[in-house]
Amino acid sequence: VGHDKRPEERFSVVRVLDGDTAELTGGDRLRLLGVDTPEAGEPLHDEARAFLARASLNQPCRVEYGTIRRDKYGRMLGYLYVDTMFVNRAIISEGLGYVYLFSDSDLKRPEIKGLIEAQRGAIGARRGLWGLPHQPEKYYVNTAGSFRLHRPNCGALGPLKEGRYHTYSSREDGMSEGLSPCRTCKP
């Protein structure tokens, strides 16, 4: 007669697909919540993928879910823990990804607060993505209700309405508050 597995034995990472997505025992894919790592061909993609592999591959792990358990692609959405390591935070702390939040992100969750704190640390230390050459703008823009930071002439912005946007003097200022780079203008 079998017995229920302890929570830490339920999952194991069997394959790392990229810096923020892994395959678990049983075939489920896990998309790390609150993290966006570089795509294939972008700087530090391989390093982010290798970091996730070193931290989690073939390790018993625990997944904690956010508000929504699966995305539109059927992937599980969660925070990954290997032993005492909060893997999502470790990726951000190393500068191998950006905090990436959505309108349904619960900003009061300790995990989200930890991710934003880790991003501030990576920015301050100029680790990983924060140490790469960057063409600065005079200012950056975030619209009300959005977690994206844009360059001022980004086509994804649309017309800016008085009182419905905020400007930042640097991308680091905006991202220190938990904003993430727009995928169109890539500030």
Side-chain angles (χ1 to χ4, degrees), residues 10 39-40 106 120:
R10 292 181 189 209
E39 301 299 326
D106 183 354
R120 286 181 187 134

Side-chain angles (χ1 to χ4, degrees), residues 42-178:
E42 294 179 345
L44 299 181
H45 167 271
D46 295 344
E47 291 82 348
R49 186 174 184 268
F51 181 87
L52 180 57
R54 280 192 312 275
S56 66
L57 198 56
N58 300 315
Q59 299 291 320
C61 59
R62 178 171 51 93
V63 175
E64 290 192 11
Y65 302 97
T67 308
I68 299 172
R69 283 189 174 229
R70 293 196 183 263
D71 66 9
K72 64 183 178 183
Y73 307 109
R75 298 177 297 188
M76 291 171 49
L77 301 171
Y79 303 106
L80 179 65
Y81 293 86
V82 174
D83 195 20
T84 61
M85 182 194 315
F86 177 19
V87 176
N88 306 47
R89 181 180 175 141
I91 291 167
I92 299 293
S93 184
E94 291 295 318
L96 297 173
Y98 300 105
V99 169
Y100 205 73
L101 305 176
F102 292 93
S103 59
D104 64 348
S105 297
D106 183 354
L107 299 177
K108 293 177 184 164
R109 282 189 73 120
E111 295 92 347
I112 299 293
K113 290 178 181 181
L115 294 176
I116 293 170
E117 180 183 300
Q119 183 154 287
R120 286 181 187 134
I123 289 169
R126 305 205 55 76
R127 277 193 297 274
L129 294 164
W130 304 104
L132 296 175
H134 167 70
Q135 182 61 46
E137 298 285 349
K138 289 183 180 180
Y139 65 94
Y140 295 83
V141 180
N142 166 255
T143 57
S146 169
F147 288 106
R148 303 299 164 256
L149 189 68
H150 303 269
R151 292 177 183 272
N153 297 320
C154 178
L157 272 174
L160 296 176
K161 296 178 183 170
E162 186 75 32
R164 300 281 300 147
Y165 67 94
H166 185 80
T167 60
Y168 295 89
S169 59
S170 73
R171 73 180 184 142
E172 290 80 4
D173 287 348
M175 292 190 196
S176 287
E177 291 187 14

